Amino acid sequence: MSDVSRGVAGLPAPHADEANAPIQADAESDEAASDSHSDYSEVASHTTSLRSSAFDYTYENGRRYHAYRAGQYLLPNDLEEQDRLDMTHHVFRLTLDGELCVTKLDHPQEILDIGTGTGMWAIEMGDLYPSADIVGTDLSPIQAEWVPPNVRFEIDDASLEWTFPLQHFDFIHARTLAGAIRDWPALLGRCFKHLKPGGKVEISEGRADFFCDDGSLAEDTATHRWLSEFRRLAAPLGFDIAPQLPDMLRDAGFADVAYAQKVVPLGTWPKNPALKEIGRWFRVQFLDMALEAYSLALFTRLGGWSNDEAQVLFAMVRNELKTSRIHLYTYTAFVTGTKHADAP
């Protein structure tokens, strides 16, 4: 098995479930892989998005990027990216059995959502906690216009000093900020200062890596080539930050720090029905949206690839992963902590 198929730096890939047993592949999915993409196409046809075009933007390789503090974030913010963010939200909820977070909350009154994206999480939290005031911040004005009365959005850069009062929030949530935050200790320090004593923080990330337990990712595949190049270019940017976050939260002063991972297969190859459903949605999100969103600027700006070269590779990866022959999976990771009641 190659280094890419085994995991980071040649170490064995982490096993795919809490019982430390590899995910069992569905043999019927493998047999049907060569002649049917029906499950992929069915989910792809049901994607929807929230629309917003309130500000000017910058454009590169046919994709639109945010104008506020341009270049701070490598991912686009166009309609295709908004679709991806909404589907990512759906995948996160599937991994959490429909919940919006792993943190147990007791009537929170002030909630902050950092990097709110389309605002879907903040909107649904507003419905769930109608007595709470919820603010979502982001670099891009791509949020819905019609929101619950207790939800508002602000264009802001969380890496700068915050204008919110100190000890103000009961709960601070951030999702998929990896690659956008240059100084995580500073961000977590701000979270600590602006939480009330007893307040809670939750950082959720999709692991920016893929794993394979059974050798189905061969070295001569386009997927192997893409993953090798992605790892090489993304490593200095901290895209796979989740495993480092628990120590960072402790250093920032948080107590009761916990780390949890949920399996996210890429495709319908698992035998387990719940994992198969998660994989069905995640494959559409990844192949139609995330593959290019996460890779294009990375490959062309930092890797020296032309747009045409990158697009050819992406197309080959899509063709390989629309079948169920390659058994890749990743994780959603959730890191939580509490500001003790006697903390300043």
Side-chain angles (χ1 to χ4, degrees), residues 2 4 7 9 17 20 38 49 78 83 96 109 128 134 136 156 164 194 198 204 247 257 280 284 321-322 324 337 344:
S2 69
V4 170
D17 61 20
N20 287 332
S38 60
S49 70
D78 48 24
D83 285 342
L96 293 177
Q109 296 303 301
L128 185 62
I134 300 170
D156 198 11
F164 302 112
H194 290 271
S204 53
D247 285 341
V257 174
R280 188 190 315 275
V284 174
L321 295 180
K322 283 180 181 178
S324 293

Side-chain angles (χ1 to χ4, degrees), residues 143 211 252 259 264 279:
Q143 296 76 40
F211 308 97
Y259 180 91
V264 181

Side-chain angles (χ1 to χ4, degrees), residues 38-302:
S38 60
D39 64 319
Y40 170 82
S41 301
E42 179 182 353
V43 178
S45 68
H46 285 83
T47 60
T48 59
S49 70
L50 302 174
R51 311 297 189 190
S52 177
S53 56
F55 291 81
D56 292 331
Y57 303 101
T58 60
Y59 294 83
E60 181 180 327
N61 293 321
R63 299 301 301 269
R64 191 186 76 184
Y65 295 82
H66 64 86
Y68 176 62
R69 293 180 62 80
Q72 178 79 6
Y73 188 47
L74 281 174
L75 273 65
N77 73 348
D78 48 24
L79 299 183
E80 183 177 343
E81 175 65 3
Q82 294 171 47
D83 285 342
R84 186 191 71 80
L85 292 172
D86 288 343
M87 188 170 288
T88 298
H89 174 73
H90 181 63
V91 170
F92 268 85
R93 292 203 70 172
L94 286 176
T95 65
L96 293 177
D97 298 322
E99 299 294 331
L100 287 167
C101 56
V102 298
T103 302
K104 304 303 180 184
L105 300 174
D106 183 17
H107 300 95
Q109 296 303 301
E110 300 290 343
I111 298 175
L112 172 64
D113 185 29
I114 304 171
T116 194
T118 63
M120 186 69 72
W121 185 90
I123 290 169
E124 294 184 3
M125 284 292 283
D127 288 333
L128 185 62
Y129 296 102
S131 66
D133 290 325
I134 300 170
V135 58
T137 64
D138 203 277
L139 291 171
S140 293
I142 57 173
Q143 296 76 40
E145 295 181 5
W146 296 96
V147 299
N150 59 329
V151 176
R152 74 180 192 277
F153 299 113
E154 298 180 2
I155 306 305
D156 198 11
D157 185 348
S159 66
L160 303 178
E161 286 300 320
W162 296 0
T163 58
F164 302 112
L166 298 177
Q167 300 189 25
H168 179 68
F169 294 105
D170 299 290
F171 183 46
I172 296 178
H173 172 266
R175 178 193 286 169
T176 60
L177 295 183
I181 302 300
R182 301 292 185 264
D183 189 345
W184 277 97
L187 176 67
L188 298 176
R190 293 186 190 99
C191 290
F192 190 84
K193 290 192 302 181
H194 290 271
L195 276 171
K196 299 174 183 176
K200 300 177 183 296
V201 65
E202 178 171 322
I203 313 294
S204 53
E205 291 288 338
R207 292 290 305 276
D209 206 347
F210 287 98
F211 308 97
C212 178
D213 291 329
D214 59 8
S216 57
L217 179 61
E219 292 188 13
D220 61 354
T221 60
T223 302
H224 188 287
R225 184 186 180 198
W226 166 79
L227 185 53
S228 297
E229 183 71 349
F230 179 83
R231 283 176 171 169
R232 182 181 73 85
L233 296 172
L237 302 179
F239 269 106
D240 196 26
I241 193 66
Q244 304 173 45
L245 289 175
D247 285 341
M248 292 185 186
L249 260 70
R250 295 185 187 97
D251 290 343
F254 287 99
D256 304 323
V257 174
Y259 180 91
Q261 291 192 144
K262 304 291 185 179
V263 175
V264 181
L266 204 168
T268 56
W269 58 267
K271 191 171 184 178
N272 179 283
L275 292 179
K276 187 185 291 287
E277 180 66 7
I278 293 171
R280 188 190 315 275
W281 285 96
F282 180 63
R283 181 168 60 184
V284 174
Q285 187 269 151
F286 179 76
L287 296 187
D288 283 5
M289 307 165 195
L291 174 61
E292 180 178 295
Y294 273 91
S295 304
L296 185 57
L298 199 63
F299 279 41
T300 57
R301 293 182 193 176
L302 304 181

